[in-house]
Amino acid sequence: MSENTLRHNAKRVLRAQRIETPSWAYGNSGTRFKVFAKAGVPRTPEEKIDDAACVHEFTGVAPSLALHIPWDQVDDYPALARYAESRGIRLGAINPNVFQDNEYRLGSICHPDSAIRAKAVDHLLECVEIGSQTGSGVLSVWLADGTNYLGQDDIRARQDRLAEGLAKVYAAMPEGMRLLLEYKFFEPHFYTMDVPDWGTAFAHCLRLGERAQVLVDTGHHAPGTNIEFLVAVLLREQRLGGFHFNSRNYADDDLMVGAADPFQLFRILHEIHGAGGLAPEAGIEFMLDQCHNLEPSVPALIRSILNVQEATAKALLVDRDALRDAQRDGDVLGAHAVVMDAFSTDVRPLLAEVRQDQGLDPDPLGAFYRSGYQEHIEAERIGGGLGWGA
Ligand code: PSV
Ligand code: MN
Ligand code: MN
C-alpha cells in the first residue's frame, strides 16, 4: 500500500476516534498513605463536566464523560445530561459502586447473605435506570467481590450468585444498552476475586447474551500477561466491549495511559485495527480509567488522549498488505519489520495535520496552557474533593 494511501486512511480513522474520560479522574486521588489535595479540582458533577468539556475542546476526540454512582449522584439526571450537552459533550458509561458500603465486606452480588445481594442488585438496577435517563448506552460493571482465605466461601456458589445477579441486571436493560463486565486479578481481595480474568468475564457474558461484553482494563493483569492476545481472541468472538486504558508498572497503578509502556499500547491497538475494531460501528468503547495523584488532571487527561492517538496512528500506519505478504511467505523478520517500522514512525506531524483539518490547535497541551483554564479553576474553585468519593 502506498504511503499516501496509508496516511490518508489513518487521518480518516483518527478524525472519527472517540475517547471517554472518567469523572473520577478529575478530582483528588492518592494512595492509602496520603491524598495530596490539588488546586482547582471540581466540587460538583457539573464542574467535572466543565473539565471534560475543556479536554474535548482542545483534543476534539473526547466528547463524553463516564459517571460513577453515587459519586456523581444528582437529583435530576436528564438535567445533568442537558448540562453536558450545553457544554458540548454527553454523559457516557454509568459505573455502579457496589464496594464502598459497610455491608459489602464479604462482597456484593456474590455475598453469602441474600439481603446484601438484593441491595447490590437494586443499586445496579438503579444505574440501568440512570443510564436510560442520561442516554448512556453502557453499564460498566466492576465488582470488588472476592475472598481472602481458603475456605472463606464456596467458589462455585459465588459464581452461581454472580450469574444470578448479572442475569437480573441484564434482563432490566433497555434494548440499546450493553453491559460491560470488567475483571481484575486481585485487590481488594487477595485469595480469590469473583471476576479475576477475561475467561471468567467471557463465560458470564456468553450466558447473559449478545449485549454483554468484556471490558479490558489494561491495569488489571498479572505482570507479563500478553494483553494483545486476549484482545485479539475477544475481538474474534465479538465480545470485546471496550477498554479502561491506563498504565501499570507494578499493580493497579492507574497511571497515565501510554506512560509506562507505549509499545504495549501500540500492540493492543494493532490488534484492534486488524480486527476492524477502530471503525465506529464496531462499538468498541475507548475509555480512560486513571487517577492523577500528583499531576493536575485536565492536562494529564489531554496528554493521555494524545498518547492513545499516537499509538492509534502508528497502528494505522502498519502496511497490512505488506504484512500479509510477509506472513504468507513465512518471512518472519520481514513481517516483524513491517510492524516495527510503523511503531518507529514519528506520528506527531500527522496528528497535527488531523487537528488542523478539524480546526483545532495542532498542539492541544500548549493551547490548554495558553488558555488560562487551569489558573481560572484554581482561582474559582475552593474546597474540591476526592475524585472517588461522593
Ligand atoms: C478499581 O480497580 C477500579 O480502578 C476499576 O478499574 C474500576 O473500573 C474503577 O475502579 C472504577 O470503579
Ligand atoms: Mn477500570
Ligand atoms: Mn482498577
Side-chain angles (χ1 to χ4, degrees):
M1 204 176 281
S2 81
E3 202 186 313
N4 265 347
T5 313
L6 275 171
R7 286 173 57 89
H8 181 79
N9 288 343
K11 285 168 105 175
R12 182 177 46 78
V13 177
L14 288 163
R15 276 197 296 273
Q17 188 178 36
R18 297 289 173 260
I19 301 160
E20 182 162 302
T21 65
S23 71
W24 53 99
Y26 291 97
N28 287 324
S29 68
T31 66
R32 66 183 189 274
F33 300 103
K34 173 72 180 165
V35 175
F36 296 103
K38 294 187 289 192
V41 303
R43 296 160 297 186
T44 60
E46 286 80 2
E47 288 182 349
K48 293 176 194 171
I49 290 173
D50 293 343
D51 285 358
C54 175
V55 170
H56 181 49
E57 182 187 335
F58 291 106
T59 60
V61 295
S64 62
L65 176 71
L67 298 186
H68 215 299
I69 308 297
W71 299 341
D72 300 313
Q73 192 163 324
V74 292
D75 291 335
D76 187 343
Y77 288 98
L80 192 69
R82 286 195 297 279
Y83 182 74
E85 208 178 311
S86 76
R87 304 291 289 107
I89 64 167
R90 61 178 181 79
L91 302 179
I94 304 295
N95 290 253
N97 181 325
V98 280
F99 50 84
Q100 276 193 329
D101 297 0
N102 286 333
E103 289 96 323
Y104 296 139
R105 189 171 67 95
L106 300 177
S108 65
I109 65 173
C110 305
H111 197 286
D113 180 340
S114 62
I116 310 296
R117 295 204 293 279
K119 173 186 151 105
V121 168
D122 278 353
H123 176 65
L124 294 170
L125 295 176
E126 181 197 346
C127 288
V128 170
E129 175 54 29
I130 292 170
S132 305
Q133 292 185 22
T134 54
S136 304
V138 170
L139 182 75
S140 189
V141 177
W142 173 70
L143 300 169
D145 293 46
T147 65
N148 270 357
Y149 294 102
L150 171 65
Q152 180 186 323
D153 200 355
D154 185 285
I155 293 174
R156 281 177 300 117
R158 292 182 74 90
Q159 288 295 310
D160 292 343
R161 297 172 206 148
L162 174 62
E164 197 183 310
L166 290 175
K168 286 182 187 151
V169 177
Y170 189 82
M173 292 193 321
E175 274 286 289
M177 192 177 284
R178 281 181 295 157
L179 187 158
L180 303 194
L181 185 58
E182 178 175 358
Y183 57 90
K184 178 173 176 177
F185 77 121
F186 87 108
E187 202 197 28
H189 294 282
F190 302 106
Y191 175 54
T192 60
M193 288 292 280
D194 291 307
V195 190
D197 52 30
W198 70 276
T200 310
F202 179 54
H204 282 279
C205 289
L206 279 184
R207 284 200 186 196
L208 287 169
E210 276 178 5
R211 286 180 295 120
Q213 295 177 310
V214 179
L215 189 149
V216 177
D217 183 311
T218 46
H220 288 189
H221 304 87
T225 302
N226 185 330
I227 300 177
E228 61 268 29
F229 176 80
L230 65 92
V231 162
V233 173
L234 287 171
L235 280 163
R236 185 170 171 275
E237 300 290 344
Q238 310 211 327
R239 292 293 178 149
L240 183 72
F243 289 90
H244 272 177
F245 282 134
N246 52 54
S247 281
R248 81 186 283 282
N249 289 302
Y250 303 104
D252 188 23
D253 305 348
D254 283 338
L255 298 172
M256 292 191 298
V257 58
D261 190 350
F263 187 40
Q264 179 188 64
L265 184 61
F266 162 77
R267 299 195 307 264
I268 292 171
L269 280 151
H270 173 60
E271 290 309 322
I272 299 171
H273 176 42
L278 288 174
E281 54 280 14
I284 311 250
E285 306 291 328
F286 296 99
M287 301 177 279
L288 305 182
D289 177 10
Q290 306 184 157
C291 293
H292 304 293
N293 299 352
L294 307 175
E295 64 281 13
S297 294
V298 175
L301 286 159
I302 294 177
R303 165 104 217 184
S304 304
I305 286 167
L306 307 190
N307 289 352
V308 175
Q309 287 186 301
E310 285 176 25
T312 307
K314 290 176 183 212
L316 285 161
L317 291 184
V318 172
D319 185 339
R320 295 207 154 252
D321 291 344
L323 181 61
R324 211 171 309 113
D325 289 350
Q327 289 174 345
R328 187 201 49 224
D329 297 344
D331 181 2
V332 175
L333 288 179
H336 181 59
V338 170
V339 185
M340 291 309 292
D341 280 350
F343 178 67
S344 304
T345 309
D346 181 0
V347 292
R348 290 172 299 179
L350 177 83
L351 280 161
E353 281 176 36
V354 170
R355 292 183 190 118
Q356 266 163 332
D357 292 350
Q358 291 174 292
L360 295 166
D361 193 296
D363 171 17
L365 260 180
F368 166 77
Y369 288 129
R370 287 189 297 276
S371 74
Y373 186 85
Q374 188 67 33
E375 292 75 5
H376 167 73
I377 58 175
E378 289 186 13
E380 286 284 306
R381 300 175 182 168
I382 307 299
L386 275 178
W388 33 275

